[in-house]
Amino acid sequence: MGASTRRKRAVSGRGDSGRGRVEAGRTNDPEKTKRNILDVAREEFSSKGLSGARIDEIAARTQTSKRMIYYYFGSKEGLYIAVLEEAYRGIRAIEAQLDLEDLPPEEALRKLVAFTFDYESSNPDFIRLVMNENIHQGEYLAQSKVIRSLNLPAIDAIRKIYERGRAEKVFRPGLDPKDLHMSISALCFFNVANRHTFSTIFDHDMTSPAALRRRRDTVVEMILRFVKA
């Protein structure tokens, strides 16, 4: 192979290792690269927290570089904030597809509570992310420019259900949608956040399908009884 040929292959990034082809393909699909980084970073941050997660590990698992991660997200903290935003964006996007407006108020609220319980039970990494951010006292969520707008639809959905229920006289007066949202979140959150300690202390398996069904039915019934007229 002549020197000019070697130079052309070096410039094009196509060496014997094939690494250049991988990086070139990644560069040509930046959204896929960012999505892969976010997915892996979510696992790392949810399991190890902000301080325990390592950019080197995320780079290795995504077959990219620290420079690329910093190019997309600015810093480790910037990546962490982006992961938090995506976590909330994910649950809100699914909530928006529940078609709650087409259901009677009681049925709509029942469906929303059951969805919240099922989603959080199936996504413990989401709960761990929220727990980790609470350790930081919400410091990084406060830096997000979109987190409040992402979560406003959750309150609006409950407000609309509640107002329809009040108009039909099936829900009692005097309830605040934010407080109702907090109550739903607290009941569903506990079942994931405390499952290991509660199960150990009381010798009670909280993760079996039967236990999850019973607890979901209990949570739904508690919220419905709380709001009914």
Side-chain angles (χ1 to χ4, degrees), residues 29-100:
D29 195 351
E31 290 306 314
K32 183 177 180 180
T33 302
K34 290 171 67 176
R35 169 53 53 193
N36 191 29
I37 293 170
L38 285 170
D39 288 344
V40 171
R42 175 169 174 151
E43 295 178 15
E44 289 291 312
F45 286 128
S46 66
S47 62
K48 302 173 184 175
L50 174 59
S51 60
R54 295 289 179 265
I55 292 295
D56 284 329
E57 180 66 20
I58 296 171
R61 290 185 57 191
T62 55
Q63 295 184 325
T64 185
S65 64
K66 291 173 64 175
R67 179 179 296 180
M68 181 68 74
I69 293 174
Y70 291 139
Y71 173 77
Y72 284 129
F73 301 101
S75 62
K76 180 182 179 182
E77 290 75 16
L79 176 58
Y80 173 71
I81 292 170
V83 166
L84 289 172
E85 291 172 348
E86 281 299 296
Y88 280 101
R89 185 177 286 112
I91 186 172
R92 301 310 172 214
I94 301 175
E95 282 177 350
Q97 300 173 12
L98 295 178
D99 296 325
L100 301 175

